[in-house]
């Protein structure tokens, strides 16, 4: 946490007055602006259920190449003044790997203490996936990925870099505070309406005997406090296999930052591709940020080939988190309508242009 913004104590603003919710919009890089544009088109048609105003942020590769800045403190302060953030994607082949990812995306996650990366893995009825043996109802889970520590904190370093005796250390930081608040969130989520009251810890306790042990102990303690929630455990490698063979066994998955990153790409495949996978970086007491999880697809930029449903789904999650349930439901209805109309859901070969998909969602959200 930098001194620039003390966000940890910022209470979540409740809509007690008539002030519209302020949504920060970071279109970002590559195809981010195109898909965010479609999400904003959809937001416009549900405005009567969503009192919001937009605040645009020029952050990403272009700004970095122009000015050398990734995330100046004053922009972070401006972000912290929003009620929620919608992000397109971050990363650009013109910028060395790691700069935008670490100093922009991860910095926002860390500074705003968005400690849960919430990634629903839902298969909308009618979506074609690479797994023909899955029924729609088999794929209905939420991954609660740790989003503020683990291997992502940047701890570590080189010793004797560039020599034959080089040492590279990459540390995984796991705090009791961090694991407890994450696991609590997962159990609480499992109890919410529509969920099946089951939490599966995904880790690698047989090898990562310190971090894994902490996670397992916290899950066991939490299970005692949530007697109605069934708990299960899967090693991360086996979890990959189960996601393909038997996804119905999962309701809420709780896992660390790195494992969560990896398994949610596989999760995207079983829900129909990255073009449909949305997620939220959640600070339950603060400002959350929502994004399509698929990345920037630089080679597709400007070609209108990228499915905007993930960005539109991220908008639905955002509206839901703000408590604007009617607007969120309309967007969700629009997404389901669009899916029903589309012949193929494979990202990049969907048979519809990016704006045509946005128009379908609008048709469904308006009916
Ligand atoms: C994601 C991405 C990011 C991550 C990258 C871009 C830093 O892969 O959101 O899943 O690893 O978290
Ligand atoms: Mn990822």
């Amino acid at each position: 946490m930098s001194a620039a913004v003390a966000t940890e104590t910022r209470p979540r603003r409740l809509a007690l007055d008539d002030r519209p919710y302020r949504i920060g919009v970071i279109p970002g890089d590559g195809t981010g602006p195109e898909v965010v544009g479609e999400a904003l088109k959809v937001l416009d048609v549900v405005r009567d259920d969503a009192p919001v105003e937009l605040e645009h942020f020029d952050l990403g590769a272009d700004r970095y190449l122009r000015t050398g800045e990734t995330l100046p403190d004053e922009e972070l302060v401006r972000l912290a003044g929003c009620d929620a953030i919608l992000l397109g994607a971050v990363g650009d082949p013109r910028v060395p790997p790691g700069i935008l990812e670490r100093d922009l995306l991860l910095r926002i996650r860390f500074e705003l203490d968005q400690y849960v990366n919430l990634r629903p893995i839902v298969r909308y009825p009618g979506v074609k996936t690479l797994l023909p043996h899955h029924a729609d109802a088999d794929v209905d889970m939420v991954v609660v990925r740790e989003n503020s520590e683990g291997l992502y904190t940047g701890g570590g370093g080189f010793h004797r870099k560039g020599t034959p005796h080089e040492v590279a250390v990459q540390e995984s930081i796991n705090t009791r505070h961090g694991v407890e608040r994450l696991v609590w969130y997962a159990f609480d989520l499992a109890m919410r309406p529509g969920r099946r009251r089951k939490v599966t810890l995904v880790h690698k306790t047989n090898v990562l005997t310190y971090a894994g042990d902490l996670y397992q102990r916290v899950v066991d303690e939490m299970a005692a406090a949530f007697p109605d929630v069934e708990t299960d455990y899967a090693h991360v490698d086996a979890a990959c296999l189960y996601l393909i063979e038997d996804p119905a066994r999962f309701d809420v998955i709780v896992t660390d930052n790195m494992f969560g990153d990896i398994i949610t790409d596989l999760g995207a495949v079983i829900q129909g591709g990255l073009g449909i996978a949305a997620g939220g970086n959640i600070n339950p007491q603060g400002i959350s940020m929502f994004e399509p999880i698929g990345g920037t697809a630089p080679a597709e930029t400007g070609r209108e080939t990228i499915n905007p449903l993930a960005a539109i789904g991220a908008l639905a999650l955002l509206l839901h988190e703000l408590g604007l349930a009617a607007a969120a439901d309309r967007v969700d209805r629009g997404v389901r309508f669009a899916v029903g109309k589309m012949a193929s859901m494979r990202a990049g070969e969907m048979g519809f242009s990016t704006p045509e998909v946005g128009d379908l969602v609008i048709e469904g959200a308006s009916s």
Side-chain angles (χ1 to χ4, degrees), residues 109 117 119 145 152 257-258 260-262 264-265 274 293-295:
R109 288 178 181 172
N117 197 322
R119 297 190 161 177
R145 165 189 172 190
Y152 275 67
N257 207 337
M258 186 83 260
D261 177 47
I262 296 167
T264 52
D265 267 33
L274 280 170
I293 77 171

Side-chain angles (χ1 to χ4, degrees), residues 165-182:
H165 303 287
E166 176 163 356
V167 179
V169 176
Q170 198 84 48
E171 294 163 345
S172 175
I173 308 296
N174 302 268
T175 69
R176 176 162 270 273
H177 168 69
V179 177
E180 266 179 12
R181 64 184 183 172
L182 178 83

Side-chain angles (χ1 to χ4, degrees), residues 23-44 54-57 85-89 290-292 306-312 314-315 354:
I23 300 182
V25 180
I26 311 175
D29 302 323
T31 53
E34 299 164 35
V35 294
V36 163
E38 295 309 308
L40 295 182
K41 246 168 64 178
V42 174
L43 175 60
D44 254 343
L54 304 181
E55 184 156 344
H56 285 272
F57 288 84
I85 302 164
L86 183 65
L87 167 71
F290 299 83
E291 50 176 333
I306 293 299
N307 193 336
L309 285 181
I312 298 169
L315 171 68
T354 306

Side-chain angles (χ1 to χ4, degrees), residues 248-272:
R249 70 188 286 140
F250 295 121
D251 177 24
V252 174
I253 291 177
V254 65
T255 190
D256 86 349
N257 207 337
M258 186 83 260
F259 294 147
D261 177 47
I262 296 167
I263 66 170
T264 52
D265 267 33
L266 183 54
V269 169
I270 69 169
Q271 68 180 128

Side-chain angles (χ1 to χ4, degrees), residues 188-197:
D188 181 66
L189 176 62
M191 288 294 292
R192 290 188 211 163
R195 296 254 56 99
R196 305 194 302 283
R197 300 189 171 187

Side-chain angles (χ1 to χ4, degrees), residues 1-2 5 7-8 71 76 101-116 145-155 173 181 257 281 283 287 289:
M1 174 84 48
S2 79
V5 270
T7 50
E8 217 159 4
L71 180 59
L76 186 60
E101 291 84 350
R102 286 218 73 84
D103 297 348
L104 181 53
L105 177 63
L106 297 186
R107 182 152 180 244
I108 296 173
R109 288 178 181 172
F110 292 165
E111 297 269 11
L112 299 185
D113 203 24
Q114 296 163 338
Y115 63 86
V116 174
R145 165 189 172 190
E146 207 294 319
N147 210 34
S148 66
E149 46 185 47
L151 278 164
Y152 275 67
T153 56
I173 308 296
R181 64 184 183 172
N257 207 337
N281 303 274
N283 176 338
I287 301 109
M289 175 169 72

